[in-house]
Amino acid sequence: MNGGGNISVFPLPGGAPNQTGFDRQELNRILDLYGRMVAAGLWRDYAIELGREAAIFSCFRRAAERPEFRIEKRPALRRKQGMWALVGEGGAVLKRGHELSGVLAPLERKLVRVVE
């Protein structure tokens, strides 16, 4: 590192081009909710899948089953119905929108009911 504090970033050779991911703020928001759901005893495990078309955060009640919820980011839908989606265990889209906070709202309400 040079003395000016500038950091150079270089792509890794053979890295996945055009891979969709979560930025730091999005991931912090999702992991904050995940931590509160774990503390409430609702979730026990998670998985992150980063692909070309979507980034998916899956939440599990137990590690050996299908995810209870998936939080999906699909940038190709940004200008249509919104790039964020909350998908239930059966694969149905429960909420879709342009803002992550709006898509997470049903899970926040579920958490509030459990804590009360």
Side-chain angles (χ1 to χ4, degrees), residues 36-37 39-42 108-116:
R36 290 183 286 135
M37 294 295 254
L42 297 174
E108 296 279 359
R109 285 193 295 276
K110 180 178 182 177
L111 183 61
V112 168
R113 284 193 301 261
V114 170
V115 173
E116 289 178 342

Side-chain angles (χ1 to χ4, degrees), residues 9-85:
V9 178
F10 299 98
L12 294 174
N18 302 323
Q19 184 177 36
T20 301
F22 299 108
D23 67 30
R24 184 180 304 251
Q25 185 178 15
E26 295 163 348
L27 194 56
N28 281 342
R29 177 78 172 88
I30 293 168
L31 287 173
D32 174 65
L33 174 63
Y34 172 78
R36 290 183 286 135
M37 294 295 254
V38 168
L42 297 174
W43 293 344
R44 296 183 57 113
D45 202 3
Y46 73 90
I48 297 175
E49 179 183 344
L50 305 176
R52 185 171 293 219
E53 296 176 12
I56 302 170
F57 186 95
S58 300
C59 312
F60 298 85
R61 280 177 282 208
R62 288 179 264 326
E65 62 182 31
R66 293 188 340 203
E68 181 178 11
F69 294 102
R70 291 189 328 257
I71 301 162
E72 297 185 357
K73 177 182 178 181
R74 295 184 180 274
L77 299 177
R78 175 180 284 127
R79 296 184 187 260
K80 296 177 183 170
Q81 61 256 66
M83 73 174 166
W84 293 101

